[in-house]
Amino acid sequence: EAGVAQSPRYKIIEKRQSVAFWCNPISGHATLYWYQQILGQGPKLLIQFQNNGVVDDSQLPKDRFSAERLKGVDSTLKIQPAKLEDSAVYLCASSLTQGGGWETQYFGPGTRLLVL
Amino acid sequence: GEDVEQSLFLSVREGDSSVINCTYTDSSSTYLYWYKQEPGAGLQLLTYIFSNMDMKQDQRLTVLLNKKDKHLSLRIADTQTGDSAIYFCAESRPGGYNKLIFGAGTRLAVHP
């Protein structure tokens, strides 16, 4: 079974530029998550999709971050404009259904973003 | 607050047992998890425990839960160099959409 795919793996941009990340979840997984992991910290949920609808975006900085999941499969996360504090690893995860707390979230390798 | 707390670093000798500790915040959390992160990789689920359990064993891994103190621990028996990684504790809160709250991670270093 193929895992969660993310691209690019690394990105370096200057502040105020725009950047986009792509995620392809495990086939058949209804729920998709984007996490931000700042160096030395644990992952923090930015947004969660159930199929192509948003169920939690309470920690997404909506003035600069946006995300979409067209057709309930792939997803893109965009930052516009980027700030220095956005430097982090952006992790995508997916799970089979919304489910209960027991449901496993499968993580991709992440996109490491450096904002200069 | 929302903090899940873990010690930042643990060093053990190969073959010894490792114990990684975690304190979580929400007594109503339903599931508690341990994830492993190797350099440059995503997070891998190691094990989880339901809040009505005290202990769970899975091969070399033993999870202990003290719900009264909101304390969770992960014991790795016969620690190997391949166990060197960052270990994250996470809690799943009820009523949400499977939202996980992670600790900052414990870096485990295994030396010969």
Side-chain angles (χ1 to χ4, degrees):
Chain A
E1 177 183 80
V4 176
Q6 291 188 246
S7 67
R9 291 296 310 276
Y10 305 92
K11 191 74 178 177
I12 301 175
I13 61 172
E14 294 187 349
K15 61 183 179 183
R16 291 188 288 274
Q17 285 188 322
S18 301
V19 65
F21 313 127
W22 173 81
C23 173
N24 181 241
I26 293 173
S27 177
H29 279 197
T31 306
L32 186 147
Y33 314 78
W34 282 103
Y35 288 86
Q36 180 192 57
Q37 185 179 15
I38 293 173
L39 186 65
Q41 299 181 17
K44 181 185 79 173
L45 180 69
L46 292 176
I47 188 167
Q48 178 179 346
F49 292 93
Q50 174 81 4
N51 295 308
N52 60 348
V54 175
V55 296
D56 186 346
D57 63 357
S58 56
Q59 297 195 87
L60 186 75
K62 299 180 186 63
D63 57 334
R64 297 184 300 106
F65 285 65
S66 64
E68 60 182 9
R69 190 183 184 197
L70 299 176
K71 300 180 182 178
V73 182
D74 293 5
S75 177
T76 55
L77 176 70
K78 296 179 182 178
I79 308 175
Q80 180 179 12
K83 293 185 175 182
L84 297 177
E85 59 261 36
D86 297 332
S87 294
V89 176
Y90 291 85
L91 294 165
C92 179
S94 70
S95 62
L96 188 59
T97 62
Q98 169 202 314
W102 52 266
E103 188 171 80
T104 300
Q105 294 185 27
Y106 295 87
F107 284 80
T111 296
R112 188 175 299 272
L113 173 67
L114 179 60
V115 182
L116 301 176
Chain B
E2 278 212 343
D3 289 348
V4 175
E5 295 186 353
Q6 302 179 237
S7 51
L8 294 182
F9 188 75
L10 177 66
S11 177
V12 299
R13 191 183 305 274
E14 191 175 11
D16 287 352
S17 293
S18 308
V19 179
I20 302 172
N21 295 301
C22 168
T23 302
Y24 61 99
T25 55
D26 193 331
S27 57
S28 61
S29 289
T30 51
Y31 289 87
L32 296 134
Y33 299 81
W34 285 104
Y35 279 85
K36 177 183 180 182
Q37 187 176 38
E38 296 181 89
L43 276 71
Q44 172 197 356
L45 178 66
L46 284 180
T47 187
Y48 65 90
I49 188 168
F50 187 47
S51 59
N52 69 351
M53 298 170 63
D54 298 324
M55 186 183 84
K56 181 178 180 182
Q57 189 154 1
D58 184 1
Q59 299 182 335
R60 292 191 298 123
L61 305 179
T62 302
V63 179
L64 295 178
L65 175 60
N66 181 330
K67 201 172 178 183
K68 173 177 171 290
D69 294 336
K70 289 183 278 189
H71 183 265
L72 183 73
S73 67
L74 174 69
R75 178 178 180 270
I76 305 172
D78 186 25
T79 311
Q80 303 297 307
T81 54
D83 295 324
S84 294
I86 301 177
Y87 291 80
F88 291 93
C89 167
E91 60 175 335
S92 175
R93 297 186 177 166
Y97 293 91
N98 199 22
K99 179 176 180 176
L100 297 181
I101 308 297
F102 285 87
T106 300
R107 182 178 295 275
L108 174 65
V110 183
H111 56 88

